[in-house]
Amino acid sequence: MRFKDKTVLITGASSGIGETTAKAFAREGAHVFLVARRKDRGEQVAEEIRSNGGTAFFHQADMSDRSQIKTMVEACVAQFSGLDIAFNNAGISGAFNVETHLHPEDAWDDLLAINLTGVWMSMRYEIPEMLKRGKGAVINMASMAGVKGFPGSSGYAASKFGVVGITKAAGLEYAAQGVRVNCVCPAVIRSEMAEEIFLQTEDSSAQADSWHPIGRIGEPEEVASVVLWLASDESSFVVAEAIQIDGGLGA
Ligand code: NAD
């Protein structure tokens, strides 16, 4: 019960890594504030957590809408009287396997709005709540595509390299005030997003497995455990880091 009665806000909590992480926090006693666009899916995850004895509340918001991000943090604070931990995880894959000169402009705008500006705006409202308490942990979702080049994904790369950059800046700004900001950089992790891009056929799945020296793609639980560690006091000296969770791919 590392997070007993701590409030955790998680964006993109209706599926994949966000859903798995929300459930892991709830199992360890956290009050989980789940955020996503898809109301039915989000409510379903919150209900599942509650039926297992946890505390969870779903709030619908779109990370491409700045006013909704402000309202999201206000609603979390109203619901659970403050904020201790934030996992800014919501994201899209956008245009993949497309060369830079062919990248669609609208896909570029969406990637930056959701994956990067969404994370910045989330921190903009989350961090003041943590500073009020003199303590907090922010974990942002970057990607291995935010630390290493992969052809065909320049919009996604721009957004995720950006997340690593703002994590490092913010991590340094607030460390002395008790708020630690870090990010995670997963390689391919089984989720709806990965299914769409990498895991459509047996051949493409085998190829995705082969990219990772460990011989397989990752599971959402393997990201959740690192996120929980970064949120806990066990990582109290870890600041402004971009932690690779990659089965050796980036080594
Ligand atoms: P997923 O598609 O299952 O989850 C994405 C989540 O983000 C969903 O809950 C979705 O509803 C939410 N979301 C998307 N756009 C949103 C918006 N505008 N507003 C609010 N919520 C929105 O996929 P996932 O793999 O779990 O992705 C989670 C994060 O992990 C993403 O940021 C993704 O870039 C990152 N990531 C994934 C992988 C991977 O291989 N799966 C690898 C590295 C990083």
Side-chain angles (χ1 to χ4, degrees):
M1 299 295 268
R2 281 179 293 179
F3 304 103
K4 190 162 171 26
D5 298 333
K6 296 276 187 204
T7 295
V8 185
L9 184 157
I10 301 175
T11 68
S14 61
S15 63
I17 298 167
E19 173 183 353
T20 301
T21 307
K23 290 176 175 170
F25 270 118
R27 280 196 298 274
E28 295 215 37
H31 298 168
V32 188
F33 192 84
L34 306 138
V35 181
R37 279 178 308 187
R38 291 173 295 180
K39 193 166 191 298
D40 291 356
R41 291 283 298 271
E43 293 282 14
Q44 200 183 318
V45 177
E47 185 48 44
E48 225 180 293
I49 290 174
R50 287 193 293 266
S51 65
N52 286 318
T55 305
F57 184 87
F58 173 73
H59 176 90
Q60 188 178 28
D62 186 333
M63 293 303 108
S64 64
D65 181 332
R66 296 178 187 204
S67 68
Q68 290 188 33
I69 296 178
K70 181 171 186 280
T71 311
M72 158 187 98
V73 176
E74 288 168 353
C76 175
V77 171
Q79 182 69 28
F80 291 130
S81 318
L83 179 62
D84 299 295
I85 295 158
F87 180 31
N88 299 317
N89 161 75
I92 56 168
S93 52
F96 248 80
N97 291 326
V98 53
E99 287 170 88
T100 299
H101 71 287
L102 299 172
H103 199 292
E105 289 182 38
D106 54 351
W108 178 276
D109 292 342
D110 286 347
L111 277 162
L112 292 185
I114 296 167
N115 293 7
L116 179 57
T117 309
V119 169
W120 168 55
M121 288 302 289
S122 297
M123 286 202 288
R124 193 179 162 121
Y125 296 109
E126 292 159 354
I127 288 173
E129 294 302 327
M130 296 177 185
L131 292 175
K132 281 184 199 164
R133 298 192 153 184
K135 192 172 182 201
V138 175
I139 300 98
N140 294 324
M141 174 53 83
S143 168
M144 278 307 290
V147 289
K148 184 177 169 8
F150 295 95
S153 62
S154 56
Y156 189 77
S159 71
K160 296 299 188 180
F161 267 82
V163 170
V164 172
I166 57 175
T167 297
K168 287 187 176 291
L172 299 175
E173 287 161 12
Y174 303 108
Q177 296 170 76
V179 177
R180 291 185 301 112
V181 183
N182 292 288
C183 67
V184 288
C185 303
V188 180
I189 305 295
R190 193 178 312 284
S191 73
E192 286 174 23
M193 182 186 287
E195 297 283 346
E196 253 173 51
I197 311 169
F198 303 117
L199 313 176
Q200 292 279 1
T201 65
E202 260 180 46
D203 279 356
S204 64
S205 296
Q207 197 185 20
D209 285 337
S210 74
W211 295 332
H212 304 79
I214 201 169
R216 61 170 177 83
I217 65 165
E219 299 297 330
E221 291 75 10
E222 294 176 297
V223 179
S225 60
V226 178
V227 173
L228 265 67
W229 176 75
L230 283 171
S232 77
D233 289 339
E234 290 157 40
S235 62
S236 50
F237 206 52
V238 180
V239 167
E241 275 296 343
I243 310 264
Q244 297 180 197
I245 309 168
D246 65 358
L249 181 140

